[in-house]
Amino acid sequence: MAGGLVLAAGSTAARIVAGLAVAGVLWGWAAAQYPDLVVGHATVASAAAPEATLVAMLIATGLGMAVIVLSMFVLFRLFSRPDTSDAHHS
């Protein structure tokens, strides 16, 4: 029943609520497991990458986001302009 509501046309609110419910379950599971990632085998501290790797990942993520955001800005800017060609006036 709920699956049908999420798939129905125009049910943006249902999709948002379903996504938030899934995110809540995942966060709840992670909070319940803390500090163990795999109970008895791996903790958050033992599974962490070295600091240099984390810094490099943050820099790469920031640069990647900058490229994507600027590309999306240019894309939306190009396609939001009114059509000035004579093709539609014939």
Side-chain angles (χ1 to χ4, degrees):
M1 175 88 174
L5 291 175
V6 174
L7 295 176
S11 60
T12 304
R15 291 178 185 171
I16 291 171
V17 170
L20 289 173
V22 170
V25 168
L26 291 175
W27 275 103
W29 172 82
Q33 296 297 320
Y34 187 82
D36 291 330
L37 292 177
V38 178
V39 178
H41 294 287
T43 64
V44 172
S46 70
E51 186 176 351
T53 303
L54 295 175
V55 170
M57 181 63 93
L58 284 174
I59 291 171
T61 301
L63 291 173
M65 285 298 296
V67 168
I68 290 172
V69 168
L70 289 173
S71 299
M72 293 301 288
F73 175 76
V74 170
L75 178 71
F76 286 127
R77 185 92 168 146
L78 286 173
F79 284 100
S80 65
R81 293 181 180 172
D83 187 13
T84 58
S85 67
D86 291 333
H88 295 287
H89 302 296
S90 55

